[in-house]
Amino acid sequence: MLVAFARLVALDLTLSWRSLAGPLQDKPSHVRWALGVGLALALHLVAWPVGLYLGARESGFDTVVVRAGVMFVLPWAVASPMSALTRVLAQRGDLDLLLASPVSPRATFTARLLALGLEGVSPAAMLLAPLANVCALQGRPHWLALYPALLAAGLIGASFGAGLALALAFALGPRRARVVSQLMAAAIGGSAALAAQAAAFLPEGVRDRVFSFLQAAPNALALLTLPERAALGEPAALAQWAFAALVAFALAGLMLSGAFARAALLAAGAPAAAGSDRTTRFTADLGAALRRKERRLLWRDPWLLSQMGLQALYTLPIAFILWRNGGVTAQPGVAFAPTLVVIAGQLSASLAWIALCGEEAPDFVATAPATRRQVERAKIAAVALPVALLMAAPLAALAWASLYAATVAGLCAAGAGASGALLMLWRQAPARRGLVLRRHSQSKLVALVEHWLSLCWAGATGMAALGHVAAIAPLGLAALTLWLARPARVSA
Amino acid sequence: MTPALELRSLCKSFGKSFGKPAVDGLDLTVQPGEVYALLGPNGAGKTTTLRMIAGLLPADAGEIRVFGVDARRHPVEAKRLVAWLPDEPQLYDKLDPLEYLEFVAGLWSVAPALARARADELLESLGLSEQRRQRCEGFSKGMRQKVALAGALIHEPCLLMLDEPLTGLDAGSARQVKDILAARVQAGAAIVLTTHILEVAERIATRIGILSRGRLAAEGTFAALRGERAGATLEDVFLDLTRAA
């Protein structure tokens, strides 16, 4: 079993690595190595001054940094394997081959669990490992404890995530569980950002009472701070954290492997999801048919919607910070207007990318008796409605705070949305719909232009909301950028 | 009578580095009511030819006429008359068959009431009535093929181009598909199909064209292709012709 387990872990890690290094796969191996080493060196170079800064601050500052890291890494370490395991069950991939082979389901499951655990913490490891290395080189070797602490976090996260995913699969059925677990994973993954905001918005008195309660209960506090103390290199905490990880992993392997095999069989025999019971509305209008198809596909992919929602959610803290610190003005209306405009631009670009680049049957649509322009126009129109609907509620709330700011935000959101969609229309690069969050890796130049346009529209919104005529400058820059980004001008 | 499909000196190359052209001055005529099987070894140019007729690939040179409409100059008009079924059906996993047909009917601007009736009829005749409200994501290859075929037929095309249409179908489904295609041909449509299963071509094609290196190596009915060689199968004829070319 051990040999099979090792082989499966190696296979899973190889596949994960290839997926991570996807854009580099077509490069020769020496170029890939050179790029990898170059990236590692660059990250260490960037981390060096950060390490020096951390070293120069008083000793408690390390704790704050690590605590913040733990808050973000732990939820992600649970959410990522949970979502991945549900996908494995639904998409099958090599599952049929593995379960039909003489390899035991336990070996298959534990190998996948280990790989998922490592995958779950690998993004954090890529960012934090250079910092840990340079801090160790600068004379603070306790930072190296990040490695085992992260590994343990991965194992614990994968064990919990797998438990949750399998519980959902049995409770809701494999197909519904897929949707629910993806939404839950998105919520768990974003919980750190939400929790940070919730803490910031608690009234001062309530916040103080929560902290005093935690300080008065040393056992609870010790348990809560265990991963943080482990990551800071406290030997006893590190040992306890590692032990907890091994126990969680072993228990998951022993208790869940049977459930995994049963869930796989359940998923294989699950009937196809039923479509809508509503009467189908046939239409002779090409545009209407395309718009309806795009909206149906979007609505039926809650994972995509949740990911885009989270993307928008991560933009909100900027508005909170602006407001709390009295930036721009201390008025929430003016502080939130640029954020809404950025969200509208990003959502519009993402949805336009899905409709245009993520078309699942491009050849089939190309055989329809319509010009390419007609098809693209219908797709862009399909995108506009969901963006408008998503923006309606926050704009209405903004109007309650400031009608003028809401008007400015509405107009600029329309402009930002149109800019984002136009950019995607002009720079189409076909890909799978699920890769929408990685679309920026398709072309760095297009990604840069998209962010720049968002910045221009946000700047124009902020200035216009304050009544500055200078708002015309960023608007002009946005228009100039779009003009330059027309087809045949950008060489991405 | 206007031919259903006319190809004159059709050429297509995929860059100089690939050497010989994929389609090299192809001349071909298919009449309404004909089932024309385009055969050839891998890389002979069959799919490239079909993709050019469907408007998915621009031809380098030559003429493509669909019922007299110049498909290179008036692609939208030509596409109204044509349906193309690729060997790997392109469906939307999150749509059910009825929604898929609703979408396709909209693309070809079929009147709603007529589209609805045809959708019901096609799903019924292809044995998909029970699955009409199930999303395609769980469908087998054969079921996907049948849904795609229903999509290809809903606008009652005059010219059907089918790339390996019977792949993945069980015997019963293959019979259903052949019956539906026969009905379309009787109604005056023409079918151009490619297949590697020579028995299929032998049984359902009225004429057979054998492509080799982008050119038509031979063309005619099975009897004409067999010529003097009594007892020879289409496989024998095919191998002789493609080896000689």
Side-chain angles (χ1 to χ4, degrees), chain A residues 82 168 172 175-186 302:
Chain A
M82 179 181 167
L168 282 173
L172 303 173
R175 291 197 185 277
R176 204 171 295 159
R178 186 182 177 192
V179 174
V180 174
S181 84
Q182 283 168 346
L183 290 173
M184 267 180 72

Side-chain angles (χ1 to χ4, degrees), chain A residues 280-341:
Chain A
T280 314
R281 285 177 295 162
F282 281 83
T283 172
D285 181 354
L286 177 136
L290 271 164
R291 287 194 296 275
R292 193 175 300 153
K293 184 267 285 182
E294 291 302 338
R295 285 180 199 141
R296 273 182 177 145
L297 294 182
L298 266 181
W299 185 243
R300 290 175 189 178
D301 206 336
W303 180 80
L304 274 185
L305 287 178
S306 66
Q307 292 302 304
M308 283 185 291
L310 267 186
Q311 227 183 1
L313 201 69
Y314 291 142
T315 320
L316 282 177
I318 303 164
F320 285 114
I321 291 163
L322 269 177
W323 179 33
R324 302 266 307 174
N325 297 339
V328 192
T329 74
Q331 297 169 11
V334 178
F336 277 88
T339 311
L340 282 183
V341 168

Side-chain angles (χ1 to χ4, degrees), chain B:
Chain B
M1 187 164 53
T2 312
L5 177 68
E6 260 186 298
L7 305 181
R8 294 283 165 263
S9 310
L10 193 66
C11 293
K12 180 70 192 176
S13 296
F14 292 102
K16 284 174 189 169
S17 57
F18 286 87
K20 290 189 174 173
V23 177
D24 189 9
L26 181 63
D27 290 312
L28 194 149
T29 305
V30 180
Q31 297 297 339
E34 262 195 318
V35 179
Y36 190 99
L38 201 54
L39 309 181
N42 293 331
K46 305 182 295 292
T47 302
T48 303
T49 304
L50 293 196
R51 288 177 69 85
M52 281 193 285
I53 302 166
L56 293 171
L57 265 181
D60 293 341
E63 248 183 69
I64 303 171
R65 286 187 179 274
V66 178
F67 284 89
V69 177
D70 185 338
R72 292 189 69 194
R73 290 181 67 185
H74 306 289
V76 173
E77 283 73 11
K79 284 175 182 180
R80 279 188 212 292
L81 307 169
V82 175
W84 176 66
L85 183 71
D87 56 345
E88 282 292 331
Q90 295 194 337
L91 300 180
Y92 299 94
D93 284 349
K94 301 278 179 199
L95 295 186
D96 63 41
L98 201 57
E99 288 167 343
Y100 175 71
L101 294 183
E102 176 202 312
F103 169 60
V104 180
L107 287 185
W108 265 266
S109 304
V110 183
L114 187 61
R116 175 82 214 203
R118 278 188 200 154
D120 288 339
E121 190 188 327
L122 282 165
L123 292 176
E124 176 73 38
S125 56
L126 286 164
L128 288 168
S129 289
E130 277 180 32
Q131 290 83 17
R132 61 199 284 133
R133 279 305 191 187
Q134 283 176 16
R135 290 189 194 160
C136 298
E137 57 195 341
F139 284 8
S140 66
K141 184 170 172 18
M143 281 162 75
R144 294 174 73 87
Q145 186 81 354
K146 287 197 278 185
V147 175
L149 181 69
L153 292 169
I154 197 161
H155 58 98
E156 299 207 322
C158 304
L159 174 63
L160 266 155
M161 288 182 306
L162 313 173
D163 203 353
E164 299 285 353
L166 302 182
T167 309
L169 297 182
D170 57 44
S173 302
R175 170 61 69 86
Q176 286 168 334
V177 169
K178 280 188 267 185
D179 289 347
I180 290 172
L181 295 180
R184 285 301 307 144
V185 169
Q186 277 202 329
I191 294 176
V192 179
L193 65 90
T194 70
T195 180
H196 285 293
I197 310 168
L198 301 182
E199 282 175 357
V200 170
E202 196 175 324
R203 237 180 291 140
I204 67 173
T206 43
R207 271 197 310 147
I208 295 165
I210 297 179
L211 267 185
S212 181
R213 298 174 189 180
R215 287 173 168 273
L216 212 49
E219 188 189 46
T221 60
F222 172 52
L225 288 175
R226 192 167 53 182
E228 307 281 300
R229 288 169 293 180
T233 61
L234 180 59
E235 190 180 23
D236 300 327
V237 176
F238 175 82
L239 290 174
D240 284 350
L241 285 166
T242 50
R243 277 180 194 147

